[in-house]
Amino acid sequence: MQPPDKHPKIIVQDQQPFNAESPLEPLRRSFVTPTELFYVRNHGTIPEVDPASYRLTVSGMVERQLELSLEEIRDEFPKETVTATVQCAGNRRQGLMEAQQIPGETPWGAGALGNARWSGVPLREVLQAAGVGEEARHVAFAGLDEIEEGWSPNYGSSVPLHKGMSPEVLLAYEMNGEPLRSEHGFPLRAVVPGYIGARSVKWLSDITLQYVPSDNYFQAHEYKLFPPYVTEETVDYTEGFALGEISLNAVTCSPSDGEELSAGPVPFRGYAIAGGGRTIERVDLSTDEGQSWIGADLKEGEGHPWAWRFWEATMELDRGKHQIVVRALDSAADTQPADAGGIWNFKGYANNAWHSVEVDAR
Ligand code: MTE
């Protein structure tokens, strides 16, 4: 299969499996990310699925098993659209790698996320059609891609039932008003807004209601958070916790790190994102490593609880080099840690330390 048709400036991290992130300045130009700029995170093949023979099965702790064709999913259930940002748990891993090495993992910058208009059927409509069994606590998803690394035959994950029954969780067949492209999960994927991207299973083939979380490798081993003192040598995968809601984050998209620019008023632009449906309430910038802060203006994103929030601030910069850090505060009054060293973890997930760029004002 050819690598996906993406924007010429997309940053390819791996060809096989295909992994690519968005360059930050173009990413910040539009609130809804054009599909060609939207990052791609794969663990295996990009399957070519025949839409005519495709079936979604719903089984496990249900009153009746379902086997649905794409036509039935489209025609027999309501269609909803949710604007939601999907972000990889490994977004900004590079910052953790600078604190301490993380061998064998993709060195994502801050572009492993994107915001799309997803359309499809709310997952709960399908679960209700199957009849949720009283014992069910988790919704497990399985995909059709083949994983080459021998860990697991396919990709899978799960979400707690209460999240699966929330109205924003979709079985999406459209992205930005078009049928899903193959690299984004054609013909059907889960979209779990507010959760790490790993739970939004692409090329979705099976939904199983069960009492326990999925035992798929990508739920039981990967995408778990371990403390800084646990290493690949000492890890016990039954410990740690399976990541769910994404953590609060803020990133400067322009100017870029290392940019040379003119002294005087300089516009700074970026994104901020909160997990679990919380909202961004404030974004602050500092030129003195957090001794003092100025507030940024919050821009696009108001009224979209599952999307990122754009921000902008004008900083007066004298000639010379400046380090500008950014942090956000959310509706739970949560804010971000200053330093990546303290949140380092050997898999490199959930880096939400203050993001910094260095600029040279001439
Ligand atoms: N679903 C399947 N079947 N296989 C995968 O490798 N990757 C997951 C998730 N769903 C994955 C998957 C991860 S880790 C992320 S971050 C998102 O898909 C990425 O979605 P995107 O490629 O559409 O941006």
Side-chain angles (χ1 to χ4, degrees):
M1 164 123 202
Q2 287 288 317
D5 190 14
K6 283 283 169 182
H7 192 281
K9 286 200 174 150
I10 201 148
I11 302 160
V12 176
Q13 293 280 7
D14 308 292
Q15 284 291 351
Q16 189 57 267
F18 186 80
N19 285 310
E21 69 178 288
S22 311
L24 293 179
E25 194 273 329
L27 185 66
R28 176 57 179 75
R29 277 188 220 158
S30 75
F31 175 66
V32 173
T33 310
T35 307
E36 59 165 9
L37 257 187
F38 204 97
Y39 83 107
V40 181
R41 176 56 172 130
N42 294 328
H43 291 85
T45 57
I46 298 178
E48 284 183 57
V49 184
D50 170 17
S53 58
Y54 169 83
R55 295 291 180 275
L56 172 72
T57 65
V58 185
S59 61
M61 293 169 167
V62 292
E63 283 158 19
R64 60 203 86 80
Q65 287 204 11
L66 303 179
E67 198 179 278
L68 300 168
S69 68
L70 201 55
E71 228 172 20
E72 287 169 322
I73 292 167
R74 282 207 206 106
D75 297 349
E76 293 176 16
F77 293 93
K79 179 178 179 181
E80 298 289 345
T81 297
V82 177
T83 301
T85 303
V86 177
Q87 181 189 252
C88 187
N91 192 36
R92 300 190 56 207
R93 178 177 288 132
Q94 221 172 58
L96 295 173
M97 288 171 155
E98 284 160 18
Q100 198 178 319
Q101 60 172 344
I102 304 176
E105 299 288 339
T106 306
W108 295 108
L113 82 174
N115 185 45
R117 281 184 299 109
W118 306 99
S119 307
V121 49
L123 171 62
R124 69 173 177 183
E125 296 284 342
V126 172
L127 297 182
Q128 276 159 357
V132 177
E134 261 181 33
E135 303 268 270
R137 297 288 180 276
H138 295 267
V139 187
F141 304 116
L144 289 166
D145 44 343
E146 286 164 22
I147 306 297
E148 284 152 18
E149 290 151 88
W151 300 315
S152 147
N154 65 348
Y155 185 92
S157 76
S158 60
V159 297
L161 181 63
H162 68 82
K163 180 65 180 179
M165 294 298 280
S166 285
E168 71 279 2
V169 179
L170 296 183
L171 302 179
Y173 42 81
E174 285 176 14
M175 178 179 182
N176 294 337
E178 290 175 348
L180 285 176
R181 294 197 188 166
S182 30
E183 68 273 19
H184 292 296
F186 178 84
L188 193 76
R189 75 176 297 172
V191 173
V192 185
Y195 269 42
I196 60 163
R199 311 304 178 219
S200 290
V201 174
K202 304 191 276 189
W203 314 291
L204 183 65
S205 61
D206 297 281
I207 297 175
T208 313
L209 285 188
Q210 49 195 58
Y211 187 67
V212 289
S214 166
D215 63 1
N216 185 283
Y217 184 85
F218 294 95
Q219 180 80 29
H221 284 71
E222 301 278 308
Y223 301 107
K224 279 191 141 183
L225 195 68
F226 291 93
Y229 48 83
V230 169
T231 65
E232 193 159 14
E233 289 73 43
T234 63
V235 65
D236 169 357
Y237 282 103
T238 61
E239 303 282 330
F241 83 93
L243 291 162
E245 289 180 359
I246 56 172
S247 48
L248 176 66
N249 225 324
V251 161
T252 297
C253 297
S254 72
S256 57
D257 193 32
E259 195 167 322
E260 288 178 7
L261 37 78
S262 304
V266 177
F268 280 71
R269 296 189 181 89
Y271 69 76
I273 183 165
R278 288 175 292 281
T279 50
I280 296 292
E281 295 298 326
R282 216 173 75 204
V283 171
D284 305 324
L285 290 97
S286 173
T287 52
D288 55 11
E289 296 179 336
Q291 300 297 309
S292 62
W293 297 90
I294 69 146
D297 292 330
L298 299 182
K299 312 295 275 188
E300 298 95 314
E302 191 164 18
H304 294 284
W306 303 106
W308 56 14
R309 192 83 201 255
F310 279 2
W311 58 264
E312 191 175 325
T314 300
M315 309 286 283
E316 271 302 325
L317 299 183
D318 298 335
R319 283 175 184 225
K321 289 196 171 166
H322 302 268
Q323 188 89 31
I324 289 92
V325 298
V326 62
R327 69 171 187 199
L329 184 124
D330 73 9
S331 48
D334 250 340
T335 190
Q336 304 172 229
D339 174 40
I343 53 170
W344 182 91
N345 56 99
F346 83 100
K347 296 296 291 179
Y349 298 132
N351 179 14
N352 72 337
W354 296 350
H355 183 253
S356 85
V357 292
E358 191 180 271
V359 296
D360 191 357
R362 299 281 171 102

